[in-house]
Each structure stands twice: as structure tokens, then as C-alpha cells.
Amino acid sequence: MDHSTIQIELKENGVAVWTLNHPPSNTIHDELLEDLQKCIEDVSSRPEVRVIVIRSAHPKIFLAGMDIKMMVSKGSEQINRPGSIAASSRRLQQVLKELEQLPKPVIAAISGHALGGGCELALACDFRIMSAGSIGLTEISLGLIPGGGGTQRLVRLLGRAKATELIFLGRRLSAEEAAAYGLVTKTVSPETFNVEVMTFADRLAKGAIQAMGLAKACLLAAEDREGNGYTLESEAFEQTFTTGEPMEGLAAFFSKRPANFIACSDRYRLHS
């Protein structure tokens, strides 16, 4: 059953295709998170669904990240409701962790930009197949840090040194660069993208899905050190809003000018 921001198609081979469609720029919003959680709950109880492919209806954007206008609103709420931003971070973490823990293979089919929260969603998938666009945790350019589990998953995937470089510099990697770092599973040409994604998904669907689910649980258990990093990330994500950097970064974004984090004015500060 389709949702307002996600269209669902079940192929005969047991591959479920989830198409993200939140116009105009495919941002992460409360409605999309709610629909994503419903999709996760639905496939969890459907044995005929063997593999999930997540793709975008937008030709140039896989998923753009958190809705910036919503983030501005959340930042304003922080003045009167301490903890509201950390709660939003935990909500995103929760949904992506449920996606990560699905006992079935999940493929992120990336044919456009996957930045910020879009990259975090891709990191929560088992495989990332990319043809075009760019990918990266770019929150630092707005004076923020990843808030959907990105700091934890990127370290687990690439190691601390590479993760630090990519997050501190806000690197936007091309498909080829991402493959060189080990961030994506494979790169394919735009012309053969859809065929290669579905061929890869079909190969998985023909495999021992239950064994894959058990192996996946074991792999995750080996990586997750009681989830303390997620709690720290939520608290740190909220802490960024006590500085002037997010308001400077967001103001610069809307004004289409470079952000000047060095000279952030105290008038942007939410509280000391």
C-alpha cells in the first residue's frame, strides 16, 4: 500500500521497491519518517518480501536531508522547550535503526544527491549502489553535526580517521570517490543503473534470506556497543544549537552566501 511520501511496488521475485517522493526536493520531514516506519513495520510481517530497494522519484536527489525550514522552527522551539531538538534527532535515529535492523537485505539505489540525512539513510542500508550525484555528511557546513546516527555508522564503515575527515570537511563525494573510500558498495553507469540495481536485488532475493537475517543481526551486535554513541550524538546534535553556528549557517543558506562561522554574532545564540 502506497503512502503519501513513499510509493511501494512488489516485484514477482520478492523485491519490494520503495520510491521516496517528498517534493519539491525530497527532504526528510516528519511525514516521511512516519511513512518510512510504516513501511518497515509492514515488510517485517510479510515473508513474501525478501529484499528492499530504496530509490527516489526525483531525478537529481536521492534524499536531501532534513527539511531546513523545519530545522529553523525546531531551533526556535529550543528556547522554550529544551530537549526538543535532541528528541527530533532520536526520532530519526530510531527509524533508521529499525531500517538497519530489518532481517532482510536493504539496498539504497542512489542516482542523485544523498547529503546529510540522505546519506544517513543510505548508511542504514546494507548496500549502496550509486550512479550519479554526490554523497556525504555535509551538516558541518551549516554549523551542525549528523543527527541520525551518521557519526556512528560512518566510523563503523570507514574507521575513525576517514570518518573524521569526511565529517569535519563536509565532503561531498562523487560516486567514484565514494567507492574509493568504501562508502558505496558499487558504482554503475546512469544508463544501466536500474537494470544493475534490480539484478543485484534479484541475486539477493534468490539467496538464503533467513540466514542473511540472522547473519545481519550478528554483524550488528558485533558493532553496536550498547548504543551509547547514539545517545551522545543526540545530545551533541542539540548542543550545536546553543552556539551561533547553525543560525549563521542557515542564514547563509537562505541568503545564498558563504557562511562566516568565525565571526558568528551573539545575536544568533539561542542561549548560553
Side-chain angles (χ1 to χ4, degrees), residues 1-24:
M1 182 175 64
D2 288 349
H3 301 284
S4 59
T5 64
I6 302 175
Q7 282 74 58
I8 302 169
E9 181 183 5
L10 180 59
K11 305 288 187 179
E12 290 182 1
N13 58 358
V15 176
V17 179
W18 298 352
T19 302
L20 308 176
N21 187 16
H22 186 218

Side-chain angles (χ1 to χ4, degrees), residues 55-74:
R55 67 183 184 185
S56 171
H58 197 293
K60 295 183 179 180
I61 301 175
F62 171 72
L63 197 60
M66 295 296 290
D67 187 301
I68 290 181
K69 291 183 179 179
M70 183 180 73
M71 292 305 299
V72 171
S73 174
K74 295 286 186 183

